[in-house]
C-alpha cells in the first residue's frame, strides 16, 4: 500500500464509531454498513449482489441447506467487503448513523464481524488497484460497450463471458447481477478491458466551476458538489451523527484525450 493510501481515510465516522464500540446502521448514499460493538457485521449496496445471489450463481442453494457453515461465512465475508467498497464511496449527501439498528438476516447473525480498520484498508487498496489498472472511473458507471479485438488479441474466459453479456446498455453493476459475480471483480475486469481497448472508455464528467468569490449567486448551504466516486484524499470529520463527503478536486484525474489514445493504439496494432 502506498504512503498516500495509508494516510487517507475513507470514513472518519466509521472509525469514530468503531472506537466508540457502537451498534447500529451507518447509512450512506450508496449503501449501509451494520455495526455490532464497533465491528462491521454486514454491508449492503444496490450495486453489489448479496451472498444468496453469489452462491446461486455458483450452483449452490443456501436456503436448502446445501451450503456448509464455513462456505457460507466465506461467501458472506466476500460479499461484505464488496458491498462496503461501494457503500463507502463518497456521495452527495451526509451519512447518518442509526443507533441500535441491526440487520436481521441469518447470514449477518452467523458471520464473524470485521474490524472497521480492515474495511478501511481493503477499500483503499481496491481504489488504488482500480486506478493502477486504468485511471478513468467513468467506465465504472457507464454502459459497457465492447470494441472489436485486434488480430491476435486474446481475452480470459471470464472476460469473454462478461463481454458476451455486455450489450451496450448494461452497466457494470447490472452485469454483476446478471453474472452473479462480485461487483468489484466486474469493475476490475472492465478496467482491464478498457485498458486493452476492448471496451469503450467514456469521457470523464466535467468538474463544476466553483462560484467566484465576488459572485452574489445564491447557493444552498447544504448543496453538495459532484464527488469523485473513488476519491482517495482524506475526508475531514464533521462530527456525529452526520458525515459529509465534500468535493475533492485532487481525486479527479485529468480528462483523457480518448481520440488520441485510440489513434495511438490503432497505430500500434497496425504494426503487430
Amino acid at each position: 500500500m502506498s504512503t498516500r493510501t495509508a494516510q487517507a481515510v475513507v470514513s472518519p465516522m466509521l472509525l469514530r464509531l468503531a472506537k466508540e464500540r457502537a451498534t447500529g446502521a451507518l447509512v450512506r448514499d450508496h449503501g449501509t454498513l451494520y455495526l455490532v460493538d464497533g465491528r462491521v457485521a454486514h454491508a449492503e449496496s444496490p450495486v453489489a449482489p448479496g451472498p444468496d445471489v453469489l452462491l446461486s450463481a455458483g450452483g449452490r442453494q443456501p436456503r436448502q441447506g446445501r451450503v456448509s457453515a464455513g462456505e457460507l461465512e466465506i461467501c458472506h465475508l466476500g460479499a461484505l467487503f464488496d458491498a462496503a467498497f461501494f457503500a463507502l464511496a463518497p456521495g452527495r449527501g451526509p451519512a447518518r448513523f442509526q443507533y441500535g439498528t441491526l440487520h436481521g438476516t441469518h447470514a449477518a447473525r452467523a458471520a464473524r464481524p470485521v474490524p472497521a480498520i480492515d474495511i478501511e484498508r481493503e477499500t483503499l487498496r481496491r481504489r488504488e488497484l482500480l486506478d493502477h489498472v486504468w485511471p478513468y472511473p467513468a467506465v465504472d458507471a457507464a454502459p459497457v460497450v465492447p470494441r472489436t479485438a485486434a488480430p491476435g488479441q486474446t481475452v480470459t474466459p471470464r472476460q469473454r463471458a462478461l463481454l458476451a453479456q455486455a450489450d451496450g446498455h448494461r452497466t457494470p453493476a447490472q452485469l454483476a447481477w446478471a453474472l452473479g459475480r462480485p461487483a468489484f471483480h466486474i469493475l476490475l475486469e472492465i478496467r482491464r478491458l478498457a485498458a486493452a481497448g476492448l471496451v469503450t472508455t467514456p469521457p470523464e464528467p466535467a468538474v463544476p466551476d466553483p462560484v467566484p468569490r465576488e459572485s452574489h449567486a445564491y447557493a444552498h448551504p447544504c448543496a453538495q458538489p459532484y464527488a469523485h466516486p473513488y476519491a482517495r484524499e482524506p475526508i475531514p470529520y464533521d462530527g456525529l451523527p452526520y458525515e459529509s463527503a465534500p468535493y475533492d478536486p485532487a481525486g479527479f484525474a485529468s480528462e483523457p484525450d480518448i481520440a488520441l489514445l485510440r489513434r495511438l493504439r490503432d497505430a500500434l496494432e497496425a504494426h503487430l
Side-chain angles (χ1 to χ4, degrees):
M1 183 180 295
S2 69
T3 302
R4 180 184 178 187
T5 301
Q7 294 175 346
V9 175
V10 174
S11 172
M13 179 185 282
L14 176 60
L15 298 182
R16 179 64 64 90
L17 291 168
K19 186 176 181 180
E20 183 185 314
R21 298 180 61 85
T23 294
L26 178 58
V27 182
R28 297 170 60 94
D29 281 358
H30 307 296
T32 303
L33 276 66
Y34 294 89
L35 279 66
V36 176
D37 294 332
R39 294 185 169 218
V40 181
H42 186 73
E44 58 187 19
S45 169
V47 177
D52 285 357
V53 175
L54 300 177
L55 287 168
S56 298
R60 313 295 286 173
Q61 299 296 328
R63 296 185 179 179
Q64 298 180 10
R66 298 179 183 177
V67 181
S68 67
E71 185 178 2
L72 182 61
E73 181 171 0
I74 291 172
C75 182
H76 175 77
L77 288 174
L80 186 155
F81 278 105
D82 195 43
F85 174 78
F86 295 98
L88 290 172
R92 293 176 181 268
R96 60 193 183 278
F97 187 71
Q98 300 172 349
Y99 283 92
T101 301
L102 298 174
H103 195 277
T105 67
H106 172 73
R109 293 194 301 270
R112 184 179 309 169
V114 179
I117 190 62
D118 291 348
I119 298 292
E120 283 261 340
R121 288 171 180 166
E122 179 61 14
T123 298
L124 289 168
R125 186 193 70 83
R126 293 185 179 202
R127 292 179 182 179
E128 188 173 68
L129 178 59
L130 288 175
D131 283 347
H132 176 74
V133 171
W134 189 241
Y136 303 116
V139 301
D140 297 344
V144 181
V145 181
R147 303 184 75 242
T148 303
Q153 194 172 17
T154 60
V155 296
T156 67
R158 288 200 171 192
Q159 289 175 336
R160 189 176 301 110
L162 192 159
L163 289 170
Q165 294 290 330
D167 57 4
H169 300 284
R170 284 175 167 170
T171 64
Q174 292 170 329
L175 289 171
W177 282 87
L179 295 168
R181 291 179 55 190
F184 175 76
H185 293 183
I186 295 295
L187 286 191
L188 189 58
E189 293 287 10
I190 290 174
R191 293 249 192 155
R192 287 170 175 159
L193 290 168
L198 291 170
V199 299
T200 298
T201 297
E204 292 290 318
V207 180
D209 294 330
V211 177
R213 291 183 181 273
E214 63 272 16
S215 172
H216 297 285
Y218 173 77
H220 192 282
C222 295
Q224 291 291 324
Y226 181 84
H228 185 279
Y230 303 115
R232 293 163 56 194
E233 294 299 309
I235 299 174
Y237 174 64
D238 291 331
L240 294 173
Y242 298 104
E243 175 187 43
S244 62
Y247 165 61
D248 175 21
F252 278 88
S254 59
E255 183 174 348
D257 188 340
I258 300 299
L260 176 60
L261 291 174
R262 288 174 181 163
R263 288 198 300 271
L264 290 173
R265 188 205 60 202
D266 293 340
L268 290 172
E269 291 173 353
H271 288 82
L272 292 178

